[in-house]
Amino acid sequence: MSETVLPSPSKPASSSANRLALIALLIGGAAIGGSPIFVRLSEVGPMATAFWRVALALLPLVIWSKTAGHTVTDQRPAGFTDYGLLVLPGIFLAVDLAAWHLALHMTSVANATLLANLAPIFVTLGSWLLFRARVSGVFIAGLATALAGVVILKGGPMALGDGQLAGDATAALAAVFYAGYILSIGRLRSRFSTNRIMIWSTASAALCMLPIAFFFEASFMPTSLFGWAILFGLAFISHAGGQGLIIYALAFLPPAFSSLTLLLQPVVAAILAWLLLSEPVGLMQAIGGAIVLAGILIARRG
């Protein structure tokens, strides 16, 4: 994938910075991969869980902004256009989370996971259509390999037969809006710091989710310490940690490649479900996970 997706920095990034960004990207993808476990263990409904995920994540982000110094890549918003651009990723994220959580209740888990993982395709198409980014054949081969690995991981094509059309469409909608989230952040990352983007996008996502969660969920707040611990884990680890690392990496890596971390999530989720929920991991899942990782390595060479 060409680096022309993002404006070129004043100084070319060093190979060590790119390696550090790649490590951050992989760790961020793994952190987000744990979110289905938190969502599954949550005591509140899917919309309320999505709201608390972003609302509670503001706590470490605000603390970080108070302790971290000014960075070279950070600028102050210059006007309403900049503020609108900073809010836009949060709107995309709110729709993505709402659609994803709804899809899990409207169709099979296999269908919802596979269709939500189409986001890298939409990011690649968006980069090409909107920003005229060059897409190499090697990158396409890696993307196809990783997607094939996800299909195998989730049980192969035969696992797609037990879903509902409306739920499938909702999961695909989540993929489109996650792609919009990645692309919009990719454009912002050349001007604003990770923390500034995270605070604005997280706060705007929380504001979008609040009325939906409050008026349409039977249970808005957990009733036990365990329930709050699950929400704090989802907010701190999966959102503040995972999304923060991915946004950091977007200063050095193209959005299309960065979106491939979404394909790590079903691999991490399968491993965590095996460790924490005693869900078995079969041979097909192990092979699918290995193919996903191989596909990401191939795409990286492109």
Side-chain angles (χ1 to χ4, degrees):
M1 186 69 194
S2 170
E3 293 287 348
T4 57
V5 175
L6 295 175
S8 299
S10 57
K11 294 181 181 180
S14 65
S15 58
S16 60
N18 283 333
R19 284 195 295 269
L20 182 61
L22 179 59
I23 293 172
L25 189 67
L26 295 175
I27 295 175
I32 297 175
S35 62
I37 305 300
F38 289 117
V39 172
R40 185 163 176 179
L41 295 175
S42 176
E43 293 181 351
V44 296
M47 296 298 101
T49 301
F51 164 74
W52 289 113
R53 170 179 182 161
V54 288
L56 294 175
L58 287 170
L59 296 175
L61 294 176
V62 170
I63 294 174
W64 180 19
S65 69
K66 298 298 183 182
T67 58
H70 179 77
T71 62
V72 176
T73 58
D74 191 34
Q75 302 177 13
R76 289 185 177 275
F80 287 110
T81 300
D82 282 351
Y83 286 114
L85 291 174
L86 284 168
V87 167
L88 185 60
I91 298 174
F92 283 134
L93 179 63
V95 179
D96 164 56
L97 291 177
W100 164 244
H101 285 214
L102 282 175
L104 288 172
H105 292 269
M106 296 171 64
T107 186
S108 67
V109 174
N111 285 35
T113 303
L114 285 175
L115 292 169
N117 284 331
L118 294 177
I121 294 178
F122 295 122
V123 172
T124 303
L125 290 175
S127 298
W128 177 63
L129 292 172
L130 299 176
F131 310 128
R132 295 296 184 265
R134 183 176 59 84
V135 182
S136 70
V138 175
F139 178 85
I140 295 297
L143 175 60
T145 301
L147 288 171
V150 173
V151 173
I152 295 173
L153 174 69
K154 302 307 296 182
M158 296 301 294
L160 296 177
D162 56 348
Q164 299 295 322
L165 182 60
D168 293 346
T170 303
L173 181 68
V176 172
F177 277 88
Y178 188 84
Y181 171 75
I182 290 292
L183 287 171
S184 58
I185 283 179
R187 300 302 289 182
L188 290 172
R189 192 57 186 91
S190 62
R191 295 181 53 205
F192 302 108
S193 68
T194 299
N195 186 254
R196 186 181 296 275
I197 295 172
M198 281 292 294
I199 287 180
W200 277 89
S201 63
T202 301
S204 57
L207 288 175
C208 290
M209 292 300 306
L210 177 58
I212 300 174
F214 186 78
F215 290 108
F216 295 99
E217 289 281 27
S219 56
F220 179 69
M221 300 176 65
T223 57
S224 69
L225 289 178
F226 175 80
W228 281 111
I230 292 298
L231 293 179
F232 273 102
L234 178 63
F236 286 17
I237 297 173
S238 294
H239 190 82
Q243 297 290 355
L245 288 169
I246 289 175
I247 292 176
Y248 165 80
L250 279 167
F252 305 93
L253 302 172
F257 176 75
S258 299
S259 67
L260 284 176
T261 57
L262 184 65
L263 301 181
L264 281 176
Q265 296 176 32
V267 179
V268 174
I271 294 173
L272 291 178
W274 172 56
L275 293 174
L276 302 177
L277 303 177
S278 300
E279 293 187 1
V281 176
L283 179 61
M284 181 173 288
Q285 290 175 303
I287 293 174
I291 293 175
V292 169
L293 297 177
I296 293 175
L297 292 176
I298 294 171
R300 175 58 181 160
R301 293 183 175 274

